[in-house]
Amino acid sequence: MFKKVLVANRGEIAIRVMRACRELGIATVAVCSEADKNALFAKYADEAYLIGPAPSSQSYLDMDAILDVAKKTGAEGIHPGYGFLSENAEFARRCEEEGIVFIGPPSNVIAEMGSKIRARNLMIKAGVPVLPGTKDAIEDAEKAKTIADEIGYPVLLKASAGGGGIGMKVVNSREELANALNSTRQMAGSAFGDSSVFIEKYVTEPRHIEIQILADSYGNIVYLSDRECSIQRRHQKLIEEAPSPIMTPELRAEMGETAVRVAKAIGYVNAGTVEFLYSKGKFYFLEVNTRLQVEHGVTEMVTGIDLVKEQLRIACGKKLGLRQEEIVINGHAIECRINAEDPLNDFAPSPGKIRRYRSAGGPGVRVDSGVHMGYTISPYYDSMISKLCVWGRTRQEAISRMERALYEYVVMGVTTNIPFHKAVMRNPVFKKGDLTTNFIEDHNILEAVEEVVKSDAAKGATLASAFEPKDKKVAAIAAAVESYVSMAQKTQR
Ligand code: MV4
């Protein structure tokens, strides 16, 4: 097992990885930017190194700086977390070259899955269901029209180098196709340096269901749980759950075995996720995420498996200690991403200082967070405060537990999307589990958020309101004392 691992990330995922390391007796090295000098993850690590100023390009994306710290500290492995360099094939290759273990898949697999066209063609060869579409990139509008006529509108233009919904354009008629093709190719070229665009049949009301897999270096591959990730806004996931409300043992086996076939076909190693669209009883391959995902915690809660520990074991050459028949799904888990953003203002980020903080807790509640009271949410990075996960024996118990946890969760000083999550949990269609990727628009959730904000404020329906001084004068004194204390702390530094 590794003696020392560098975590090339920040915030909650850095702490998440360090927790697994601590349990395995692995020393940890953190790298941080100027903005994160006093962040919890930097204090949690056994060693922490400043690698640059706040902008990610000069810190968490600076491969040279990160590799220098790894070499200087003797870290045998680097865990990239998610985002930043986690799916950067060049970084994985450089780790391999330096003899430092990249705790994730081989760099060539990351590169291969970075091309949606190549991934699709590999899946077709492996007999994995894909949507009707083109095997190659399309450049000529007339050819595209012929193909789209065969597929049938609406079609979706997709940038081959895109991901997470960036570089996608829905086309509803022949007349729109030529302009759409040109604009999508142009956007892909400037965003990804690769203007390749292909066509797929557009599925209008899909579910987004993904399968977690684990693969070791000896060809052993298992699937763990499925996850329903349909509640997204502009391709940003907000609520995930395991298992999907529509999952049956038969469907899970079919999708799981398909995900294992995908992993085998591409020579996958370590933790990964196979994304599918599900519509009218059928599922179709979308893409492979070659990293540990934000929402991995719901899989951990229903299987009892620590995915980061499994990643570390696989990365240091151990065989998978899991057989498919011993992986059992127990209960139901839901994750709400708690972000410092204003759901009443187009989810605009709301950076700033957390004046009061008390996370939820109690039976069946897990909070993965990188913040604390007095912490300032930086405008340089994503606005995540935490991932609030709950487990229940049934989906209904998980929902009521999530409602209770959201009631308890106190974050004051910044605006959060907690009211959004409350509005979803209360929604009768959500409670029935009738989800598609259009859920937020189809059920006017944003209007419901306004109601939640009003009712929370009016009748003190949150634990947070218990911290609000009733008397305006008391509030003014409290604020003055707080600003004095923070000034005094600054002078001490
Ligand atoms: C699609 C699709 C409908 N039809 N492909 C979004 C990001 C990437 N995972 C692929 N995505 C989609 N691809 C076809 N042919 C709908 C989406 C999509 C989506 C998929 C999963 C979860 C949320 C989504 C939100 C919007 C669009």
Side-chain angles (χ1 to χ4, degrees):
M1 183 44 84
F2 298 116
K3 289 187 180 53
K4 189 182 282 189
V5 163
L6 182 150
V7 182
N9 214 301
R10 63 180 298 280
E12 70 85 15
I13 190 61
I15 294 174
R16 170 67 191 90
V17 173
M18 291 184 211
R19 281 173 161 156
C21 291
R22 187 165 278 272
E23 287 184 24
L24 292 174
I26 300 170
T28 53
V29 177
V31 287
C32 68
S33 72
E34 277 290 343
D36 285 334
K37 262 191 320 192
N38 297 315
L40 192 57
F41 75 92
K43 299 180 192 304
Y44 193 99
D46 297 303
E47 305 172 54
Y49 294 85
L50 185 62
I51 53 169
S56 303
S57 56
Q58 299 168 54
S59 49
Y60 299 105
L61 294 174
D62 183 340
M63 297 187 215
D64 295 331
I66 292 167
L67 286 166
D68 285 350
V69 172
K71 284 182 276 189
K72 187 169 74 175
T73 57
E76 301 132 293
I78 294 180
H79 194 300
Y82 49 67
F84 293 132
L85 295 170
S86 62
E87 296 192 293
N88 184 310
E90 168 62 15
F91 180 65
R93 197 184 57 73
R94 290 203 42 197
C95 290
E96 290 159 1
E97 270 172 10
E98 300 279 356
I100 297 171
V101 177
F102 177 81
I103 298 166
S107 57
N108 66 303
V109 174
I110 299 174
E112 204 62 354
M113 291 300 103
S115 161
K116 302 285 173 287
I117 290 177
R118 286 211 299 273
R120 251 178 76 87
N121 291 333
L122 274 169
M123 298 314 137
I124 293 167
K125 258 200 305 211
V128 171
V130 298
L131 286 158
T134 57
K135 282 193 161 184
D136 304 302
I138 287 287
E139 292 170 20
D140 173 72
E142 290 315 305
K143 239 193 235 163
K145 285 176 186 171
T146 309
I147 291 167
D149 288 344
E150 285 158 19
I151 293 175
Y153 289 92
V155 296
L156 189 64
L157 299 179
K158 277 187 176 176
S160 180
I166 304 167
M168 288 179 15
K169 176 96 179 126
V170 181
V171 182
N172 292 301
S173 72
R174 208 170 204 273
E175 293 65 40
E176 300 165 35
L177 190 52
N179 288 342
L181 180 62
N182 291 335
S183 60
T184 307
R185 282 177 46 78
Q186 204 161 36
M187 193 289 287
S190 52
F192 312 115
D194 173 357
S195 57
S196 309
V197 164
F198 65 101
I199 304 180
E200 267 187 354
K201 176 66 187 160
Y202 181 60
V203 181
T204 50
E205 302 243 320
R207 283 176 178 265
H208 178 197
I209 297 178
E210 58 188 29
I211 302 282
Q212 179 70 55
I213 56 145
L214 278 174
D216 67 15
S217 311
Y218 309 95
N220 304 305
I221 308 175
V222 293
Y223 62 89
L224 279 80
S225 90
D226 52 290
R227 293 189 289 259
E228 173 92 39
C229 304
S230 296
I231 299 190
Q232 310 197 10
R233 183 178 170 280
R234 296 184 190 160
H235 301 291
Q236 294 301 318
K237 294 172 183 171
L238 286 162
I239 297 176
E240 304 98 344
E241 60 184 294
S244 162
I246 57 146
M247 200 44 70
T248 62
E250 300 71 25
L251 179 59
R252 179 179 295 116
E254 196 185 351
M255 293 184 80
E257 285 154 19
T258 303
V260 168
R261 239 180 15 256
V262 167
K264 220 180 271 311
I266 61 180
Y268 203 84
V269 180
N270 210 281
T273 297
V274 184
E275 278 193 9
F276 296 98
L277 283 182
Y278 178 92
S279 173
K280 301 188 180 90
K282 289 192 164 53
F283 60 89
Y284 307 92
F285 171 80
L286 264 187
E287 54 196 78
V288 175
N289 296 324
T290 57
R291 66 181 188 279
L292 181 72
Q293 297 203 236
V294 172
E295 62 269 24
H296 74 276
V298 294
T299 294
E300 295 187 322
M301 290 183 103
V302 296
T303 61
I305 293 164
D306 183 317
L307 284 169
V308 179
K309 283 186 179 176
E310 292 305 322
Q311 285 192 288
L312 292 159
R313 290 190 183 108
I314 289 166
C316 72
K318 291 180 186 296
K319 277 194 169 186
L320 258 188
L322 299 156
R323 289 193 323 280
Q324 192 63 58
E325 52 274 19
E326 62 188 0
I327 294 169
V328 176
I329 307 291
N330 177 32
H332 201 99
I334 300 174
E335 173 181 274
C336 287
R337 298 189 190 196
I338 308 298
N339 299 328
E341 53 193 26
D342 185 351
L344 297 183
N345 180 21
D346 201 26
F347 286 80
S350 160
K353 184 168 194 168
I354 294 177
R355 278 190 308 104
R356 282 197 191 288
Y357 184 77
R358 179 180 160 78
S359 67
V365 176
R366 161 179 169 172
V367 178
D368 283 21
S369 164
V371 308
H372 49 79
M373 186 160 121
Y375 177 77
T376 298
I377 306 259
S378 169
Y380 284 100
Y381 312 114
D382 68 38
S383 58
M384 182 177 279
I385 290 172
S386 71
K387 296 158 358 184
L388 171 58
C389 300
V390 300
W391 179 87
R393 286 165 304 166
T394 64
R395 184 170 188 264
Q396 293 319 317
E397 182 175 64
I399 291 173
S400 54
R401 187 160 274 171
M402 181 59 84
E403 291 187 284
R404 185 266 295 169
L406 290 166
Y407 158 81
E408 285 180 9
Y409 211 136
V410 178
V411 184
M412 295 165 80
V414 295
T415 305
T416 76
N417 63 352
I418 288 174
F420 164 83
H421 292 300
K422 287 181 174 177
V424 173
M425 291 302 131
R426 293 176 192 171
N427 179 278
V429 175
F430 177 80
K431 287 181 184 290
K432 278 200 327 222
D434 289 348
L435 310 179
T436 73
T437 57
N438 308 320
F439 178 83
I440 294 176
E441 302 79 26
D442 288 355
H443 302 288
N444 306 315
I445 296 299
L446 299 186
E447 285 72 22
V449 175
E450 285 186 45
E451 291 314 306
V452 170
V453 171
K454 281 195 201 110
S455 67
D456 277 2
K459 64 183 192 230
T462 67
L463 200 50
S465 57
F467 288 89
E468 284 294 4
K470 295 285 173 280
D471 179 296
K472 288 274 174 278
K473 267 193 260 146
V474 168
I477 293 165
V481 166
E482 246 169 58
S483 61
Y484 173 76
V485 165
S486 64
M487 262 188 315
Q489 281 168 337
K490 276 203 190 93
T491 48
Q492 272 170 8
R493 251 179 242 133

